[in-house]
Amino acid sequence: MEYVILAVVIAVIAVGAIAGLVVSGRRRQQLPPKSQAPVITAPKPTPQEPQVGEESAPPTEEPRRTVEEVELPAEPQAAEAVEAVEAVEVEPSEAEAAPAIEVPEPTAGRLVRLRSRLSRSQNSLGKGLLSLLSREHLDEDTWEEIEDTLLTADVGVAPTQELVERLRTRVKVLGTRTPDELRGLLREELVELIGKDADRGVRSTKHEEGPAVVLVVGVNGVGKTTTTGKLARVLVADGRTVVLGAADTFRAAAADQLQTWGERVGARTVRGPEGGDPASVAFDAVKEGIAEGADTVLIDTAGRLHTKTGLMDELGKVKRVVEKHGPVDEVLLVLDATTGQNGLVQARVFAEVVDITGIVLTKLDGTAKGGIVVAVQRELGVPVKLIGLGEGADDLAPFEPGAFVDALIGD
């Protein structure tokens, strides 16, 4: 009996084991093979922060379209879109836009337009002389007052004596003197004293050797660099092409200042390192002018103190180096008209170093005395070619004796 029970237990165990193997085999068949791609399921929505208004509503399922169902724009529309994008990309911003080139005022008649700037000189010289000459009796005391008026206006001793003698002679011959006759008489004598036949044009036309070379010299503080920039505007207004040479390498920002003047009228500026050799910059400027075929090369030299002999010698060196390219056509001396007789001292020293061919009188408006025009011409034996009558960009005018005298004595 015991054997029978043992056999039954073994049979039950065997049947259970077989059943377990069958179930495990079926489960293995139902599992996907390891080489199959993983199934990607949509992620569960993440909790969001509370929203306001339309955003607080639960998200709705939007219909989706396949790539085939999406309509592409027509070719013409696509081309227009591309052109619009290109137009936006090519268009420069305002900051990157090139600076506009200014058109300077014409130089013809510029002095006539600026005659009001000579009003103070007119009061001290022209009207003073007319008032004295209009007296009924011109005795010795009156003629002495006339001399004092001329000397106070910086005309100079020798020119004053010459003018007074000629006026005395003509007044005696004239006899009766009306205001119009006196004005005409004074105008003729002043124009004659200033000199109406002098060549006052700036030689600025290129020649066979290359462009005309103009050296601008003067001491510090007379407005030399500004005058060089204004002279560039005068030449551009007359149809010249200009190259600027920033040879004032010892004054801080002088080259930047000159370059700004040049950019306003489209003139190239040649410059060197600060504290560099001025003669080298002047040489390169003329070389650049030859390469470009420019009409004129304007060279702003260092503003030297006329008491420093060594520095004055360097100015002579600049002129010699430039002459390796060709002759220097003009050497313009810039003088501050308000310095009066002190400007004549400067003129003498510069004339000993370089051959001055013309004078530029700046700051002739305001408190300047018109007689300095006569005195400086007599001192150097060269004509005043340009005068500065204000701070404006176009306030540098070619000097015209007739228009200048008319401004002094009034209408």
Side-chain angles (χ1 to χ4, degrees):
M1 188 65 179
E2 293 178 356
Y3 291 105
V4 174
I5 294 171
L6 181 61
V8 172
V9 171
I10 292 172
V12 171
I13 293 173
V15 172
I18 294 172
L21 292 174
V22 172
V23 172
S24 175
R26 289 181 179 178
R27 289 181 179 176
R28 289 179 180 176
Q29 290 179 358
Q30 292 177 356
L31 291 175
K34 294 182 180 181
S35 59
Q36 290 182 357
V39 179
I40 299 176
T41 58
K44 295 181 179 180
T46 57
Q48 299 182 358
E49 297 180 1
Q51 304 295 331
V52 179
E54 295 180 356
E55 294 181 355
S56 63
T60 57
E61 187 77 15
E62 295 183 359
R64 299 181 179 180
R65 295 183 295 175
T66 62
V67 174
E68 292 78 3
E69 294 174 346
V70 177
E71 296 181 1
L72 296 177
E75 292 185 0
Q77 296 179 356
E80 292 176 0
V82 172
E83 291 177 0
V85 172
E86 291 179 350
V88 172
E89 293 178 351
V90 173
E91 183 178 357
S93 63
E94 295 181 0
E96 297 175 353
I101 303 299
E102 298 180 8
V103 180
E105 292 183 9
T107 59
R110 184 180 287 187
L111 182 57
V112 176
R113 297 194 298 272
L114 297 173
R115 60 181 298 176
S116 61
R117 306 290 176 84
L118 296 171
S119 58
R120 294 192 182 181
S121 294
Q122 169 185 326
N123 292 335
S124 62
L125 179 58
K127 287 187 176 181
L129 290 176
L130 284 174
S131 176
L132 291 171
L133 291 172
S134 300
R135 291 181 179 178
E136 185 176 354
H137 299 289
L138 296 179
D139 52 17
E140 289 300 322
D141 292 339
T142 302
W143 287 112
E144 287 183 5
E145 290 184 47
I146 292 174
E147 287 187 3
D148 291 341
T149 300
L150 292 169
L151 291 174
T152 304
D154 287 332
V155 173
V157 176
T160 293
Q161 292 174 348
E162 178 183 328
L163 179 59
V164 169
E165 288 300 321
R166 294 173 62 175
L167 285 173
R168 294 182 91 170
T169 301
R170 295 195 62 179
V171 166
K172 286 182 180 180
V173 174
L174 185 62
T176 304
R177 304 178 305 278
T178 65
D180 290 339
E181 289 174 334
L182 284 175
R183 182 175 286 104
L185 172 64
L186 184 59
R187 184 185 188 281
E188 291 177 9
E189 293 301 330
L190 286 175
V191 170
E192 187 68 26
L193 189 66
I194 293 173
K196 58 183 178 181
D197 298 326
D199 180 12
R200 301 183 186 276
V202 177
R203 293 189 287 273
S204 58
T205 306
K206 64 180 178 181
H207 36 70
E208 294 180 358
E209 293 84 358
V213 178
V214 180
L215 293 182
V216 183
V217 302
V219 299
N220 290 325
V222 298
K224 180 175 49 58
T225 300
T226 299
T227 298
T228 305
K230 291 183 179 181
L231 179 54
R233 296 178 66 90
V234 169
L235 297 178
V236 170
D238 289 339
R240 306 282 191 269
T241 55
V242 178
V243 172
L244 297 172
D248 187 356
T249 59
F250 296 103
R251 185 172 69 87
D256 293 337
Q257 181 183 357
L258 189 64
Q259 184 172 345
T260 300
W261 279 102
E263 289 174 349
R264 293 170 67 177
V265 293
R268 183 188 299 274
T269 301
V270 177
R271 54 188 297 176
E274 185 175 345
D277 183 13
S280 176
V281 176
F283 183 87
D284 291 341
V286 178
K287 183 178 179 181
E288 182 71 18
I290 294 174
E292 289 191 6
D295 294 313
T296 314
V297 177
L298 290 178
I299 300 176
D300 176 29
T301 61
R304 307 301 188 186
L305 291 175
H306 62 280
T307 56
K308 297 184 179 180
T309 306
L311 298 179
M312 294 300 297
D313 290 342
E314 189 170 335
L315 179 60
K317 174 189 172 184
V318 170
K319 185 173 184 292
R320 292 192 300 272
V321 169
V322 168
E323 286 175 337
K324 293 182 179 181
H325 284 299
V328 174
D329 298 88
E330 291 275 5
V331 180
L332 299 178
L333 174 62
V334 181
L335 294 176
D336 184 342
T338 62
T339 60
Q341 296 296 316
N342 186 46
L344 300 182
V345 179
Q346 301 173 12
R348 294 189 197 105
V349 177
F350 276 96
E352 294 173 0
V353 179
V354 290
D355 296 326
I356 305 297
T357 61
I359 302 162
V360 182
L361 279 176
T362 64
K363 307 176 186 178
L364 197 54
D365 59 325
T367 60
K369 300 168 183 177
I372 191 64
V373 173
V374 177
V376 72
Q377 288 187 151
R378 291 295 183 93
E379 180 67 30
L380 296 182
V382 295
V384 172
K385 295 192 172 184
L386 298 157
I387 57 175
L389 296 169
E391 300 297 330
D394 292 319
D395 288 346
L396 185 71
F399 183 71
E400 304 168 21
F404 179 75
V405 171
D406 287 340
L408 290 182
I409 64 177
D411 298 326

